[in-house]
Structures are given as C-alpha cells and as structure tokens.
Amino acid sequence: MLGSRAEDYLEAIYSLSKEKGYAKVMELSEMLDVKPATVSEMLEKLSRMGYVKYKKRSHVKLTEKGVREAMKLREKRNVVIKFLKAIGVPEDVAERDACTIEHVLHPETLRQLRNFVRFVESSPAVNPRWLEHFREFCRTGRHPCKQR
C-alpha cells in the first residue's frame, strides 16, 4: 500500500506529465517543495513498486499501473473537493484540505461522499431548497424552516 507522500508524488507526476508525457526531478522538487535528492529517493522506490519508469538524472514516466493509481487518487481528491465546495468551503481551502483528507478516508466514507456529490450534481433544481436552507443556516445559525 502506498503512503500519503507516495500518493502525492504519483498525483504530481500525473499532473506534470499531461503535457509532455513525463516529469523531471526539478519540476517535482519545486511542485512538492522538497529537495531533488528526496525526489530521486521516492522515484526509485516508486520504480521498484512498478508505478514509474525512472531514469536517473533524466525524467520519470508513469507506468500503466501508475496511471491507474494516479487517476484513482485524482478522482478521490475531486470527490472530496466537490463535497467540501457543496457545503460552502471556499475552493482554495477545499483543494488544500482535500489533499490531506484524501489520504485517510475509509473506502465506505469515500463511497458515501461520492454518492452525496452525485446526488447534489444530479438534483433537478439548480439550487435545491435543502441546499439553500443549509446556506442560510451557515449564514445565520438558524434553520429557515423554524424562523416562522
């Protein structure tokens, strides 16, 4: 099983590889705010685990296994971001928090978050009444139905 740091690396490599098909150690170093030597260590580990193809002092590419895992991680993060935004968390905060939360979610919790997000997104009204009520509750601390 991958740790949270390894997951962060896979997501970063996936993100950087979208344009040119590979990522460089220095790009990862800057993106993850770690030293190049630390990046190289992790890339060697991920290479041994079959997630990346890494050429020292060159570049890194995700293997098929790495792409599948990175896409699962990206989807998990997106579900958490969408959920947090649905409950009124600002986008920049939601993205930052999702990076932390995604690593510790139980699969059942993720399944329910995914269901909730799909439910909200497929709701027939643009702004369902219960969601409007929730936003009002967040602003005032009172449930709109009880204000009568």
Side-chain angles (χ1 to χ4, degrees), residues 37-61:
T38 304
V39 173
S40 294
E41 271 181 45
M42 180 59 79
L43 294 180
E44 287 172 8
K45 178 181 175 183
L46 290 171
S47 180
R48 286 192 304 273
M49 296 170 78
Y51 290 102
V52 301
K53 290 186 180 191
Y54 171 55
K55 294 179 184 175
K56 234 178 185 164
R57 293 175 182 59
S58 181
H59 61 271
V60 60
K61 289 183 176 187

PDB file of all heavy atoms in Angstrom, residues 37-61:
ATOM      1  N   ALA A  37      17.149  15.458  -4.123  1.00  0.00           N
ATOM      2  CA  ALA A  37      17.604  14.147  -3.635  1.00  0.00           C
ATOM      3  C   ALA A  37      16.438  13.355  -3.033  1.00  0.00           C
ATOM      4  O   ALA A  37      16.342  12.133  -3.193  1.00  0.00           O
ATOM      5  CB  ALA A  37      18.711  14.317  -2.597  1.00  0.00           C
ATOM      6  N   THR A  38      15.539  14.058  -2.365  1.00  0.00           N
ATOM      7  CA  THR A  38      14.356  13.420  -1.785  1.00  0.00           C
ATOM      8  C   THR A  38      13.452  12.895  -2.888  1.00  0.00           C
ATOM      9  O   THR A  38      12.901  11.796  -2.794  1.00  0.00           O
ATOM     10  CB  THR A  38      13.584  14.428  -0.894  1.00  0.00           C
ATOM     11  OG1 THR A  38      14.485  14.945   0.088  1.00  0.00           O
ATOM     12  CG2 THR A  38      12.396  13.790  -0.221  1.00  0.00           C
ATOM     13  N   VAL A  39      13.318  13.680  -3.954  1.00  0.00           N
ATOM     14  CA  VAL A  39      12.515  13.256  -5.104  1.00  0.00           C
ATOM     15  C   VAL A  39      13.117  11.994  -5.705  1.00  0.00           C
ATOM     16  O   VAL A  39      12.406  11.019  -5.967  1.00  0.00           O
ATOM     17  CB  VAL A  39      12.423  14.374  -6.173  1.00  0.00           C
ATOM     18  CG1 VAL A  39      11.743  13.863  -7.438  1.00  0.00           C
ATOM     19  CG2 VAL A  39      11.692  15.586  -5.622  1.00  0.00           C
ATOM     20  N   SER A  40      14.417  11.993  -5.913  1.00  0.00           N
ATOM     21  CA  SER A  40      15.095  10.831  -6.510  1.00  0.00           C
ATOM     22  C   SER A  40      14.875   9.577  -5.676  1.00  0.00           C
ATOM     23  O   SER A  40      14.621   8.495  -6.219  1.00  0.00           O
ATOM     24  CB  SER A  40      16.590  11.099  -6.673  1.00  0.00           C
ATOM     25  OG  SER A  40      16.795  12.122  -7.617  1.00  0.00           O
ATOM     26  N   GLU A  41      14.966   9.703  -4.367  1.00  0.00           N
ATOM     27  CA  GLU A  41      14.728   8.557  -3.473  1.00  0.00           C
ATOM     28  C   GLU A  41      13.334   7.986  -3.671  1.00  0.00           C
ATOM     29  O   GLU A  41      13.155   6.775  -3.792  1.00  0.00           O
ATOM     30  CB  GLU A  41      14.858   8.987  -2.011  1.00  0.00           C
ATOM     31  CG  GLU A  41      16.223   8.896  -1.427  1.00  0.00           C
ATOM     32  CD  GLU A  41      16.239   9.334   0.033  1.00  0.00           C
ATOM     33  OE1 GLU A  41      15.342   8.912   0.804  1.00  0.00           O
ATOM     34  OE2 GLU A  41      17.134  10.100   0.392  1.00  0.00           O
ATOM     35  N   MET A  42      12.336   8.874  -3.679  1.00  0.00           N
ATOM     36  CA  MET A  42      10.962   8.416  -3.829  1.00  0.00           C
ATOM     37  C   MET A  42      10.740   7.808  -5.206  1.00  0.00           C
ATOM     38  O   MET A  42      10.039   6.809  -5.341  1.00  0.00           O
ATOM     39  CB  MET A  42       9.978   9.560  -3.583  1.00  0.00           C
ATOM     40  CG  MET A  42       8.526   9.146  -3.734  1.00  0.00           C
ATOM     41  SD  MET A  42       7.964   7.817  -2.627  1.00  0.00           S
ATOM     42  CE  MET A  42       7.713   8.767  -1.131  1.00  0.00           C
ATOM     43  N   LEU A  43      11.349   8.392  -6.236  1.00  0.00           N
ATOM     44  CA  LEU A  43      11.178   7.860  -7.585  1.00  0.00           C
ATOM     45  C   LEU A  43      11.777   6.465  -7.698  1.00  0.00           C
ATOM     46  O   LEU A  43      11.213   5.594  -8.368  1.00  0.00           O
ATOM     47  CB  LEU A  43      11.785   8.803  -8.624  1.00  0.00           C
ATOM     48  CG  LEU A  43      11.092  10.158  -8.756  1.00  0.00           C
ATOM     49  CD1 LEU A  43      11.798  11.008  -9.813  1.00  0.00           C
ATOM     50  CD2 LEU A  43       9.621  10.004  -9.071  1.00  0.00           C
ATOM     51  N   GLU A  44      12.885   6.235  -7.037  1.00  0.00           N
ATOM     52  CA  GLU A  44      13.487   4.901  -7.039  1.00  0.00           C
ATOM     53  C   GLU A  44      12.555   3.902  -6.350  1.00  0.00           C
ATOM     54  O   GLU A  44      12.375   2.774  -6.816  1.00  0.00           O
ATOM     55  CB  GLU A  44      14.863   4.939  -6.378  1.00  0.00           C
ATOM     56  CG  GLU A  44      15.898   5.625  -7.254  1.00  0.00           C
ATOM     57  CD  GLU A  44      17.236   5.861  -6.555  1.00  0.00           C
ATOM     58  OE1 GLU A  44      17.433   5.363  -5.424  1.00  0.00           O
ATOM     59  OE2 GLU A  44      18.075   6.554  -7.153  1.00  0.00           O
ATOM     60  N   LYS A  45      11.956   4.335  -5.247  1.00  0.00           N
ATOM     61  CA  LYS A  45      11.005   3.477  -4.518  1.00  0.00           C
ATOM     62  C   LYS A  45       9.790   3.166  -5.390  1.00  0.00           C
ATOM     63  O   LYS A  45       9.370   2.013  -5.506  1.00  0.00           O
ATOM     64  CB  LYS A  45      10.575   4.171  -3.223  1.00  0.00           C
ATOM     65  CG  LYS A  45       9.567   3.412  -2.415  1.00  0.00           C
ATOM     66  CD  LYS A  45       9.168   4.183  -1.166  1.00  0.00           C
ATOM     67  CE  LYS A  45       8.063   3.477  -0.413  1.00  0.00           C
ATOM     68  NZ  LYS A  45       7.605   4.226   0.760  1.00  0.00           N
ATOM     69  N   LEU A  46       9.230   4.214  -6.012  1.00  0.00           N
ATOM     70  CA  LEU A  46       8.054   4.018  -6.871  1.00  0.00           C
ATOM     71  C   LEU A  46       8.390   3.157  -8.088  1.00  0.00           C
ATOM     72  O   LEU A  46       7.552   2.396  -8.571  1.00  0.00           O
ATOM     73  CB  LEU A  46       7.486   5.374  -7.317  1.00  0.00           C
ATOM     74  CG  LEU A  46       6.810   6.202  -6.219  1.00  0.00           C
ATOM     75  CD1 LEU A  46       6.495   7.609  -6.732  1.00  0.00           C
ATOM     76  CD2 LEU A  46       5.547   5.514  -5.714  1.00  0.00           C
ATOM     77  N   SER A  47       9.623   3.261  -8.560  1.00  0.00           N
ATOM     78  CA  SER A  47      10.074   2.443  -9.677  1.00  0.00           C
ATOM     79  C   SER A  47      10.127   0.966  -9.266  1.00  0.00           C
ATOM     80  O   SER A  47       9.645   0.097 -10.004  1.00  0.00           O
ATOM     81  CB  SER A  47      11.453   2.911 -10.148  1.00  0.00           C
ATOM     82  OG  SER A  47      11.898   2.118 -11.218  1.00  0.00           O
ATOM     83  N   ARG A  48      10.680   0.696  -8.096  1.00  0.00           N
ATOM     84  CA  ARG A  48      10.735  -0.683  -7.589  1.00  0.00           C
ATOM     85  C   ARG A  48       9.334  -1.268  -7.403  1.00  0.00           C
ATOM     86  O   ARG A  48       9.126  -2.464  -7.564  1.00  0.00           O
ATOM     87  CB  ARG A  48      11.493  -0.747  -6.262  1.00  0.00           C
ATOM     88  CG  ARG A  48      12.995  -0.592  -6.388  1.00  0.00           C
ATOM     89  CD  ARG A  48      13.725  -0.935  -5.110  1.00  0.00           C
ATOM     90  NE  ARG A  48      13.288  -0.163  -3.957  1.00  0.00           N
ATOM     91  CZ  ARG A  48      13.771   1.027  -3.599  1.00  0.00           C
ATOM     92  NH1 ARG A  48      14.720   1.588  -4.327  1.00  0.00           N
ATOM     93  NH2 ARG A  48      13.315   1.659  -2.536  1.00  0.00           N
ATOM     94  N   MET A  49       8.369  -0.414  -7.073  1.00  0.00           N
ATOM     95  CA  MET A  49       6.991  -0.857  -6.853  1.00  0.00           C
ATOM     96  C   MET A  49       6.205  -0.972  -8.161  1.00  0.00           C
ATOM     97  O   MET A  49       5.058  -1.417  -8.163  1.00  0.00           O
ATOM     98  CB  MET A  49       6.276   0.113  -5.901  1.00  0.00           C
ATOM     99  CG  MET A  49       6.885   0.143  -4.511  1.00  0.00           C
ATOM    100  SD  MET A  49       6.217   1.492  -3.508  1.00  0.00           S
ATOM    101  CE  MET A  49       4.640   0.805  -3.046  1.00  0.00           C
ATOM    102  N   GLY A  50       6.811  -0.542  -9.268  1.00  0.00           N
ATOM    103  CA  GLY A  50       6.178  -0.688 -10.569  1.00  0.00           C
ATOM    104  C   GLY A  50       5.253   0.445 -10.978  1.00  0.00           C
ATOM    105  O   GLY A  50       4.499   0.323 -11.944  1.00  0.00           O
ATOM    106  N   TYR A  51       5.318   1.578 -10.274  1.00  0.00           N
ATOM    107  CA  TYR A  51       4.443   2.710 -10.595  1.00  0.00           C
ATOM    108  C   TYR A  51       5.043   3.677 -11.601  1.00  0.00           C
ATOM    109  O   TYR A  51       4.319   4.401 -12.267  1.00  0.00           O
ATOM    110  CB  TYR A  51       4.078   3.486  -9.327  1.00  0.00           C
ATOM    111  CG  TYR A  51       3.154   2.738  -8.412  1.00  0.00           C
ATOM    112  CD1 TYR A  51       3.637   2.101  -7.277  1.00  0.00           C
ATOM    113  CD2 TYR A  51       1.794   2.649  -8.686  1.00  0.00           C
ATOM    114  CE1 TYR A  51       2.790   1.402  -6.436  1.00  0.00           C
ATOM    115  CE2 TYR A  51       0.935   1.958  -7.853  1.00  0.00           C
ATOM    116  CZ  TYR A  51       1.439   1.332  -6.729  1.00  0.00           C
ATOM    117  OH  TYR A  51       0.600   0.641  -5.899  1.00  0.00           O
ATOM    118  N   VAL A  52       6.379   3.725 -11.688  1.00  0.00           N
ATOM    119  CA  VAL A  52       7.037   4.661 -12.604  1.00  0.00           C
ATOM    120  C   VAL A  52       8.228   3.999 -13.289  1.00  0.00           C
ATOM    121  O   VAL A  52       8.762   3.001 -12.816  1.00  0.00           O
ATOM    122  CB  VAL A  52       7.546   5.941 -11.871  1.00  0.00           C
ATOM    123  CG1 VAL A  52       6.415   6.679 -11.197  1.00  0.00           C
ATOM    124  CG2 VAL A  52       8.659   5.614 -10.895  1.00  0.00           C
ATOM    125  N   LYS A  53       8.602   4.606 -14.407  1.00  0.00           N
ATOM    126  CA  LYS A  53       9.875   4.281 -15.061  1.00  0.00           C
ATOM    127  C   LYS A  53      10.725   5.515 -14.852  1.00  0.00           C
ATOM    128  O   LYS A  53      10.363   6.608 -15.294  1.00  0.00           O
ATOM    129  CB  LYS A  53       9.673   3.988 -16.541  1.00  0.00           C
ATOM    130  CG  LYS A  53       8.949   2.690 -16.764  1.00  0.00           C
ATOM    131  CD  LYS A  53       8.873   2.344 -18.220  1.00  0.00           C
ATOM    132  CE  LYS A  53       8.118   1.024 -18.312  1.00  0.00           C
ATOM    133  NZ  LYS A  53       8.183   0.445 -19.605  1.00  0.00           N
ATOM    134  N   TYR A  54      11.846   5.332 -14.185  1.00  0.00           N
ATOM    135  CA  TYR A  54      12.676   6.471 -13.799  1.00  0.00           C
ATOM    136  C   TYR A  54      14.087   6.286 -14.309  1.00  0.00           C
ATOM    137  O   TYR A  54      14.715   5.247 -14.089  1.00  0.00           O
ATOM    138  CB  TYR A  54      12.665   6.606 -12.275  1.00  0.00           C
ATOM    139  CG  TYR A  54      13.644   7.601 -11.724  1.00  0.00           C
ATOM    140  CD1 TYR A  54      13.664   8.917 -12.153  1.00  0.00           C
ATOM    141  CD2 TYR A  54      14.559   7.217 -10.745  1.00  0.00           C
ATOM    142  CE1 TYR A  54      14.562   9.829 -11.634  1.00  0.00           C
ATOM    143  CE2 TYR A  54      15.456   8.131 -10.210  1.00  0.00           C
ATOM    144  CZ  TYR A  54      15.461   9.425 -10.660  1.00  0.00           C
ATOM    145  OH  TYR A  54      16.345  10.332 -10.143  1.00  0.00           O
ATOM    146  N   LYS A  55      14.578   7.298 -15.016  1.00  0.00           N
ATOM    147  CA  LYS A  55      15.967   7.315 -15.463  1.00  0.00           C
ATOM    148  C   LYS A  55      16.674   8.384 -14.661  1.00  0.00           C
ATOM    149  O   LYS A  55      16.330   9.568 -14.743  1.00  0.00           O
ATOM    150  CB  LYS A  55      16.052   7.633 -16.962  1.00  0.00           C
ATOM    151  CG  LYS A  55      15.453   6.579 -17.840  1.00  0.00           C
ATOM    152  CD  LYS A  55      15.559   6.980 -19.298  1.00  0.00           C
ATOM    153  CE  LYS A  55      14.859   5.953 -20.159  1.00  0.00           C
ATOM    154  NZ  LYS A  55      14.846   6.358 -21.560  1.00  0.00           N
ATOM    155  N   LYS A  56      17.664   7.968 -13.888  1.00  0.00           N
ATOM    156  CA  LYS A  56      18.410   8.920 -13.057  1.00  0.00           C
ATOM    157  C   LYS A  56      18.967  10.055 -13.897  1.00  0.00           C
ATOM    158  O   LYS A  56      19.434   9.858 -15.001  1.00  0.00           O
ATOM    159  CB  LYS A  56      19.554   8.188 -12.358  1.00  0.00           C
ATOM    160  CG  LYS A  56      19.532   8.367 -10.882  1.00  0.00           C
ATOM    161  CD  LYS A  56      20.645   7.581 -10.214  1.00  0.00           C
ATOM    162  CE  LYS A  56      20.426   7.750  -8.742  1.00  0.00           C
ATOM    163  NZ  LYS A  56      21.122   6.822  -7.946  1.00  0.00           N
ATOM    164  N   ARG A  57      18.854  11.251 -13.343  1.00  0.00           N
ATOM    165  CA  ARG A  57      19.315  12.485 -13.986  1.00  0.00           C
ATOM    166  C   ARG A  57      18.621  12.752 -15.329  1.00  0.00           C
ATOM    167  O   ARG A  57      19.165  13.424 -16.198  1.00  0.00           O
ATOM    168  CB  ARG A  57      20.826  12.479 -14.170  1.00  0.00           C
ATOM    169  CG  ARG A  57      21.576  12.538 -12.848  1.00  0.00           C
ATOM    170  CD  ARG A  57      23.062  12.403 -13.075  1.00  0.00           C
ATOM    171  NE  ARG A  57      23.876  12.390 -11.905  1.00  0.00           N
ATOM    172  CZ  ARG A  57      23.834  11.554 -10.878  1.00  0.00           C
ATOM    173  NH1 ARG A  57      22.906  10.631 -10.834  1.00  0.00           N
ATOM    174  NH2 ARG A  57      24.674  11.632  -9.866  1.00  0.00           N
ATOM    175  N   SER A  58      17.440  12.173 -15.478  1.00  0.00           N
ATOM    176  CA  SER A  58      16.708  12.382 -16.719  1.00  0.00           C
ATOM    177  C   SER A  58      15.261  12.753 -16.410  1.00  0.00           C
ATOM    178  O   SER A  58      14.993  13.880 -16.056  1.00  0.00           O
ATOM    179  CB  SER A  58      16.786  11.116 -17.586  1.00  0.00           C
ATOM    180  OG  SER A  58      16.092  11.313 -18.794  1.00  0.00           O
ATOM    181  N   HIS A  59      14.374  11.798 -16.522  1.00  0.00           N
ATOM    182  CA  HIS A  59      12.958  12.081 -16.318  1.00  0.00           C
ATOM    183  C   HIS A  59      12.247  10.853 -15.746  1.00  0.00           C
ATOM    184  O   HIS A  59      12.839   9.786 -15.622  1.00  0.00           O
ATOM    185  CB  HIS A  59      12.318  12.520 -17.633  1.00  0.00           C
ATOM    186  CG  HIS A  59      12.382  11.482 -18.695  1.00  0.00           C
ATOM    187  ND1 HIS A  59      13.442  11.376 -19.555  1.00  0.00           N
ATOM    188  CD2 HIS A  59      11.522  10.503 -19.033  1.00  0.00           C
ATOM    189  CE1 HIS A  59      13.233  10.362 -20.375  1.00  0.00           C
ATOM    190  NE2 HIS A  59      12.072   9.814 -20.080  1.00  0.00           N
ATOM    191  N   VAL A  60      10.970  11.035 -15.445  1.00  0.00           N
ATOM    192  CA  VAL A  60      10.156   9.948 -14.908  1.00  0.00           C
ATOM    193  C   VAL A  60       8.841   9.891 -15.667  1.00  0.00           C
ATOM    194  O   VAL A  60       8.281  10.925 -16.039  1.00  0.00           O
ATOM    195  CB  VAL A  60       9.922  10.127 -13.386  1.00  0.00           C
ATOM    196  CG1 VAL A  60       9.207  11.428 -13.077  1.00  0.00           C
ATOM    197  CG2 VAL A  60       9.148   8.954 -12.801  1.00  0.00           C
ATOM    198  N   LYS A  61       8.391   8.670 -15.934  1.00  0.00           N
ATOM    199  CA  LYS A  61       7.107   8.436 -16.591  1.00  0.00           C
ATOM    200  C   LYS A  61       6.314   7.458 -15.733  1.00  0.00           C
ATOM    201  O   LYS A  61       6.882   6.539 -15.130  1.00  0.00           O
ATOM    202  CB  LYS A  61       7.295   7.804 -17.966  1.00  0.00           C
ATOM    203  CG  LYS A  61       7.861   8.709 -19.008  1.00  0.00           C
ATOM    204  CD  LYS A  61       7.919   7.982 -20.337  1.00  0.00           C
ATOM    205  CE  LYS A  61       8.409   8.902 -21.426  1.00  0.00           C
ATOM    206  NZ  LYS A  61       8.328   8.276 -22.742  1.00  0.00           N
TER     207      LYS A  61
END
